[in-house]
Amino acid sequence: MPIKRFYRQQRAHLASAPMALRPAPSRRMRIARAGIALMFIGGLLAAGGWLGWIESKAAHSSGFDAQTERVAELEKQVAAADAARRLAEQRAAVEIATRETLTRELAQSQAAASSRLETLTFLESLLTVNDRARALRFVACELQSLGDGRRFRYRGLLAQGFNSAAEFNGRLVVGVDYLKRGQRGRYVQGEDKPQPVHVKHYERLEGVIELPSDAQPQLLDARILSHDGKQVVAQCQKKVGGV
């Protein structure tokens, strides 16, 4: 049969061919081959790691550049905000200085106007008053707030009678009736230690009174006492804010 014939031919061919024997690799050869394989694998791993490091470095460099740009932008914003704050502080300082200057000028103008009014009142009184025998009299008096709610400046103008040639020496006592939380009170300055007053023809009086906190002045009462303090020579009472 054909199959049997094929097997016989194969056996005959194998029997006629010379047998070739390959020597078995030695231990050193196997170790060398393993080393070469490990070196190849290590090279592949090193190449992969190097490529990964290059990509990571590029990514980190890109992220660092973005962060640097962000930091620079934030620094610009902070610098702009700081410049705006300094400008606002400068403007506020200028406004405060301007307000203080205007307040001082207003106070000076009010004081000058009050002084001129006192002078005019005094001159008018010289023309209209016929009481020549009185040793001393008040021409005007007033009480002005200093703006802090507690301190007030009192002002007064004194004039001697026409027949009084000698200088008048006396004492000043200033009282203020006030209202605090619905309760009436009175503050007096000069009773224990009266302020000396010397008048030659006419004299301006001025001083500061400090009232209790939240006190609202109602009436100014200024009195000139004799030198011994036993007699009221002149007196001026004026409602605060009145005429």
Side-chain angles (χ1 to χ4, degrees):
M1 296 187 64
I3 295 177
K4 292 182 178 181
R5 189 182 300 114
F6 175 75
Y7 283 138
R8 284 196 297 269
Q9 290 177 357
Q10 289 293 329
R11 285 197 298 271
H13 177 71
L14 292 174
S16 61
M19 184 177 295
L21 298 177
R22 295 181 179 179
S26 63
R27 183 178 180 183
R28 182 178 296 177
M29 183 64 68
R30 290 196 300 270
I31 293 175
R33 289 178 179 177
I36 292 172
L38 291 176
M39 290 176 63
F40 179 74
I41 295 173
L44 292 177
L45 292 176
W50 182 76
L51 291 176
W53 178 77
I54 292 296
E55 293 179 357
S56 176
K57 182 179 179 181
H60 288 168
S61 177
S62 177
F64 179 76
D65 293 340
Q67 291 180 357
T68 302
E69 293 178 357
R70 178 60 178 168
V71 169
E73 183 180 356
L74 291 176
E75 288 179 350
K76 291 181 180 179
Q77 294 178 359
V78 171
D82 188 57
R85 178 184 58 80
R86 289 197 299 268
L87 180 60
E89 290 178 351
Q90 292 176 357
R91 290 179 177 176
V94 171
E95 291 179 358
I96 292 174
T98 303
R99 185 178 303 174
E100 292 177 351
T101 302
L102 292 176
T103 301
R104 288 195 299 269
E105 291 179 353
L106 177 61
Q108 293 173 358
S109 299
Q110 290 177 343
S114 178
S115 177
R116 287 193 293 269
L117 179 61
E118 289 178 355
T119 303
L120 291 175
T121 305
F122 173 71
L123 294 176
E124 182 181 6
S125 67
L126 293 179
L127 297 175
T128 57
V129 176
N130 295 321
D131 190 359
R132 299 173 179 268
R134 293 182 61 179
L136 192 69
R137 63 187 177 86
F138 270 99
V139 178
C141 64
E142 64 177 356
L143 188 69
Q144 296 177 342
S145 173
L146 294 180
D148 57 5
R150 297 191 61 180
R151 295 185 304 153
F152 296 84
R153 176 180 284 110
Y154 64 85
R155 299 166 60 89
L157 179 62
L158 293 170
Q160 285 183 296
F162 288 168
N163 294 336
S164 300
E167 182 182 58
F168 174 83
N169 296 314
R171 301 179 180 183
L172 171 65
V173 177
V174 179
V176 176
D177 295 341
Y178 62 85
L179 193 64
K180 179 179 180 180
R181 299 175 183 174
Q183 300 293 327
R184 294 187 177 276
R186 181 176 176 83
Y187 176 83
V188 180
Q189 178 176 290
E191 279 188 338
D192 297 333
K193 295 181 179 180
Q195 176 183 342
V197 175
H198 307 285
V199 182
K200 182 66 173 179
H201 302 308
Y202 75 96
E203 183 68 27
R204 289 189 178 91
L205 303 176
E206 184 174 344
V208 176
I209 285 182
E210 184 171 348
L211 298 181
S213 179
D214 298 330
Q216 299 177 356
Q218 304 294 312
L219 178 70
L220 171 65
D221 181 16
R223 290 173 292 164
I224 300 296
L225 306 181
S226 58
H227 183 69
D228 56 8
K230 296 181 179 180
Q231 181 183 0
V232 177
V233 179
Q235 185 176 12
C236 180
Q237 291 184 336
K238 185 175 182 180
K239 292 183 178 181
V240 178
V243 180

